[in-house]
Amino acid sequence: MQTQDLAGPGRAASWIIAQTFIVAFVTVAALLAPPESGSILLLPIGSGDPGLALRQALAHGAQLEGAGPISGTFVVHGSRDRLAPAMLSAGVLMLSARPLLCGKPQSVAA
């Protein structure tokens, strides 16, 4: 008498799909995570004020590199640990500003 394999091919496929999503998520997270120190893209979320985000970043030691690829975003050079608390309270998402992801920063008129 044979017993049925409860795992079956459908369950194996589900595990492969789940592992693929996990690998993809970790890869995207690693690409978007802001560096410890370096170029960081500031992305105001919701009703976050881009001007406030930039002023807070500059007040916490960041240096403006230029405008980001999306209107209202900025690329700054700074320390993630110094910027994170201020950006969180200002409603700003910090992302990696890798040239591969957002191109060369555009200059900002003063």
Side-chain angles (χ1 to χ4, degrees), residues 13 22-23 29 36 55 68 71 74 81 84-85 91-92 99:
I22 290 169
V23 168
E36 185 175 336
R55 288 190 301 275
S71 178
F74 298 97
D81 295 340
V92 177

Side-chain angles (χ1 to χ4, degrees), residues 78-106:
S79 166
R80 176 187 63 210
D81 295 340
R82 288 187 66 193
L83 292 173
M87 296 300 100
L88 181 61
S89 67
V92 177
L93 185 62
M94 296 181 358
L95 302 171
S96 172
R98 298 174 192 260
L100 176 67
L101 297 175
C102 59
K104 183 179 176 185
Q106 303 165 2

